[in-house]
Amino acid sequence: MNDRPLVFIDLETTGTRTTRDRITEIAALRVIDGQIIERFTALIDPQTDIPRHIQQITGIDDAMVNGAPTFEALANELFAWLSGDAIVAHNARFDYGFLRNEFKRAGLDYSTSVICTLKLSRRLAPQQRHHNLDALLKRHDLGDFDRHRAEGDARAMLALWQYWQHQHEGEQLEALVRAQLRQSSLPAHLDPTRLQTLPERPGVYLFYGENRAILYVGKSVNLRSRVLSHFNSDHRNDREMRLSQQIHDLEWRETAGDLGAQLLEAQLIKELMPVHNRQLRRQSRLVSWHWPEDELAPSLVDDDSLDLSRELTLYGLFRARKDARNALGQIAEEYQLCPQVLGLTSGKGRCFAQQLGHCAGACCGKEPLEAHANRAREALERLRVQQWAWPGRVAFGETAQDGKQVWHIVDHWCYLGSLEHLDEPELASLTTQKARFDVDTYKILNRFLNNQPEQLEVRPLLA
């Protein structure tokens, strides 16, 4: 490391989103054997307003960058200046992500080796809790730098690097750098040894932040491949970048197969409410269209009436009444059904849709109401909620690649839990608990029963 150039680099930006925010200042120090041999510093016009809270942190305001060159104007010069040397940065995936995206906008493909001083600090002093640059400068009494300005932070990193070179054996530091370069895409706060035993099997994984705050729950048929994929594209994906910066630890739970992984993921997300999961977190009240045989039009029913242990004819499961009405409205337009007869609009006589030629005329006697109802029922079939085919609880047996079977206990589409053996004492507690109907679990089970029934053994359980 002493005889090859290292570029200590720091950026100031308009925000944290690598694909949308812009660089406002850059400082790069080319160092050989601990000495600065070249420097590249510049204010950069981000071509967008700098948010007020960012101005307060960095001291860089819109007036300071007004008239400065854009990144595109500097891109070729900076690209040549960097010349492929390894860069050193604190929380390096942030700076590297911004650089790659800015160069990409300028039509240049930038790629180089990256060394992260935040990761190095965690490996050199794992007993310490804080590894941000302010904490490190204070801990090692490294003096005063112009913090949150690009050159000040770059010089602070160089001082930290020189301190480590004096405090640690050269071979130790070299080995840590080599190991980091082999794992350069991993989150800075995550101990890389946590990934070494990740299995290539189906299961669910959990990402934790500081103080064991749950960040994200995911599933895959290959845990190792899926977890590592989160860290391969964070410079192109703002969401993955934010998640990666927050991860401090992870856990995983193996399952027999894809069904078990999907069921467990949906259950854990609703129990733990991870901040980075959006879709499966939602537990709003469900509504559905109910259409008794003796009625000419359906009516909306909500959670209080959505008892799938009763033989109700239901169409669609929606998280809001507006979504249900929109879905029925689209079907009405597609099949020339009358929105007035269906209760979507009010009025008497010829409806507006019929005047536009979008209704076959059930509202004004051109189509018999019974014929209209039959057509509407047929059109709604694609939304029909499947009835539970068994009188009570059922165990679905899923077999893993190694031949081990796991039983998923389900009651009227409600997932209760999984067991390796149906004679386990835990079965009694699972089969007596009352679970609330969950639309995500319903969809998961439906997909498997309709598309892959041969993969499941079905065993009804006695009450």
Side-chain angles (χ1 to χ4, degrees):
M1 292 184 297
N2 290 331
D3 58 359
R4 69 172 183 260
L6 293 176
V7 175
F8 288 76
I9 195 166
D10 187 76
L11 310 175
E12 302 304 330
T13 67
T14 60
T16 61
R17 300 166 301 178
T18 59
T19 61
R20 287 181 283 178
D21 290 314
R22 296 293 186 268
I23 295 173
T24 58
E25 187 179 37
I26 183 170
L29 310 175
R30 180 171 283 109
V31 175
I32 295 181
D33 195 19
Q35 300 299 314
I36 299 173
I37 61 171
E38 286 184 281
R39 57 193 288 272
F40 185 106
T41 62
L43 284 169
I44 296 174
D45 182 357
Q47 298 181 294
T48 186
D49 293 337
I50 302 174
R52 183 170 297 277
H53 70 280
I54 298 293
Q55 294 183 30
Q56 293 172 346
I57 294 172
T58 65
I60 301 173
D61 57 27
D62 294 328
M64 289 176 63
V65 297
N66 185 28
T70 64
F71 189 92
E72 185 175 7
L74 291 174
N76 289 326
E77 179 187 357
L78 178 60
F79 190 87
W81 191 93
L82 291 170
S83 68
D85 289 339
I87 65 172
V88 182
H90 203 73
N91 196 10
R93 66 194 309 117
F94 175 88
D95 300 84
Y96 187 50
F98 267 95
L99 277 176
R100 281 181 60 87
N101 279 293
E102 290 281 22
F103 276 125
K104 183 178 179 180
R105 294 184 194 101
L108 297 170
D109 184 13
Y110 176 67
S111 180
T112 192
S113 299
V114 181
I115 300 170
C116 179
T117 51
L118 174 57
K119 288 184 181 180
L120 280 178
S121 177
R122 291 182 60 83
R123 297 305 304 273
L124 290 168
Q127 75 281 4
Q128 297 291 342
R129 181 177 180 182
H130 299 291
H131 298 272
N132 60 71
L133 196 52
D134 280 328
L136 294 176
L137 296 176
K138 181 178 180 181
R139 185 182 306 155
H140 303 312
D141 193 23
L142 291 179
D144 189 24
F145 295 89
D146 188 9
R147 293 284 289 114
H148 303 297
R149 290 298 301 270
E151 185 166 2
D153 286 351
R155 290 185 178 276
M157 282 187 293
L158 176 57
L160 177 63
W161 184 272
Q162 292 167 334
Y163 172 84
W164 284 336
Q165 287 185 312
H166 284 97
Q167 294 296 315
H168 300 280
E169 293 290 337
E171 291 183 0
Q172 178 191 14
L173 199 58
E174 182 86 34
L176 290 176
V177 169
R178 284 199 303 267
Q180 187 183 123
L181 290 174
R182 291 194 298 268
Q183 302 171 327
S184 59
S185 63
L186 301 184
H189 297 290
L190 180 64
D191 183 352
T193 60
R194 296 290 293 129
L195 301 171
Q196 293 175 0
T197 55
L198 269 169
E200 295 182 346
R201 291 176 54 90
V204 170
Y205 57 95
L206 302 90
F207 288 152
Y208 293 93
E210 196 170 6
N211 299 321
R212 296 289 291 176
I214 184 69
L215 300 175
Y216 184 80
V217 174
K219 56 84 183 172
S220 178
V221 294
N222 186 322
L223 283 168
R224 183 175 185 80
S225 175
R226 181 67 186 99
V227 169
L228 292 177
S229 74
H230 278 280
F231 314 136
N232 292 335
S233 61
D234 58 0
H235 65 276
R236 298 188 300 271
N237 185 305
D238 292 330
R239 181 167 170 262
E240 294 285 16
M241 170 65 86
R242 289 194 300 273
L243 177 61
S244 181
Q245 289 178 320
Q246 297 174 39
I247 294 173
H248 284 244
D249 199 5
L250 79 144
E251 292 179 355
W252 60 88
R253 304 181 190 179
E254 296 181 31
T255 60
D258 190 24
L259 176 59
Q262 291 193 44
L263 291 173
L264 182 58
E265 178 197 38
Q267 181 186 62
L268 289 176
I269 287 174
K270 290 179 174 63
E271 287 180 2
L272 303 176
M273 300 294 284
V275 295
H276 284 273
N277 288 97
R278 293 189 178 96
Q279 294 299 322
L280 295 182
R281 280 182 58 182
R282 297 182 296 179
Q283 298 190 78
S284 54
R285 293 175 64 85
L286 292 173
V287 296
S288 180
W289 290 106
H290 174 43
W291 199 338
E293 289 294 332
D294 57 348
E295 298 290 336
L296 292 174
S299 58
L300 277 176
V301 293
D302 58 20
D303 273 5
D304 296 331
S305 303
L306 282 180
D307 183 357
L308 296 188
S309 64
R310 298 163 52 199
E311 292 190 4
L312 297 178
T313 304
L314 299 175
Y315 299 96
L317 293 167
F318 307 95
R319 300 184 191 275
R321 299 176 76 87
K322 178 182 178 181
D323 296 337
R325 294 178 65 85
N326 287 342
L328 183 57
Q330 290 174 5
I331 290 175
E333 185 174 354
E334 182 179 349
Y335 288 88
Q336 288 196 311
L337 300 171
C338 180
Q340 188 170 283
V341 173
L342 291 175
L344 295 173
T345 62
S346 58
K348 294 182 179 180
R350 189 182 181 197
C351 72
F352 184 65
Q354 210 283 324
Q355 297 176 44
L356 297 176
H358 298 162
C359 162
C363 51
C364 57
K366 289 186 176 181
E367 180 183 28
L369 291 177
E370 186 174 345
H372 177 271
N374 290 335
R375 286 200 309 115
R377 288 180 189 276
E378 183 177 345
L380 280 172
E381 272 301 306
R382 67 192 191 197
L383 296 181
R384 181 190 280 268
V385 178
Q386 296 298 315
Q387 289 289 329
W388 186 243
W390 301 273
R393 295 170 178 83
V394 170
F396 294 106
E398 184 177 27
T399 303
Q401 290 182 350
D402 59 7
K404 183 182 295 184
Q405 192 171 44
V406 172
W407 297 93
H408 309 302
I409 313 304
V410 183
D411 183 14
H412 290 86
W413 306 114
C414 300
Y415 173 59
L416 305 180
S418 298
L419 300 169
E420 290 189 8
H421 306 285
L422 289 179
D423 57 356
E424 292 184 24
E426 289 83 356
L427 178 62
S429 62
L430 288 183
T431 54
T432 55
Q433 72 183 46
K434 177 67 174 178
R436 180 184 175 189
F437 176 80
D438 173 54
V439 64
D440 299 304
T441 300
Y442 165 80
K443 291 178 179 178
I444 291 167
L445 288 166
N446 244 306
R447 283 196 298 270
F448 270 84
L449 291 172
N450 290 332
N451 301 326
Q452 306 172 55
E454 71 284 350
Q455 295 188 13
L456 300 176
E457 180 180 344
V458 180
R459 188 174 296 183
L461 300 175
L462 297 176

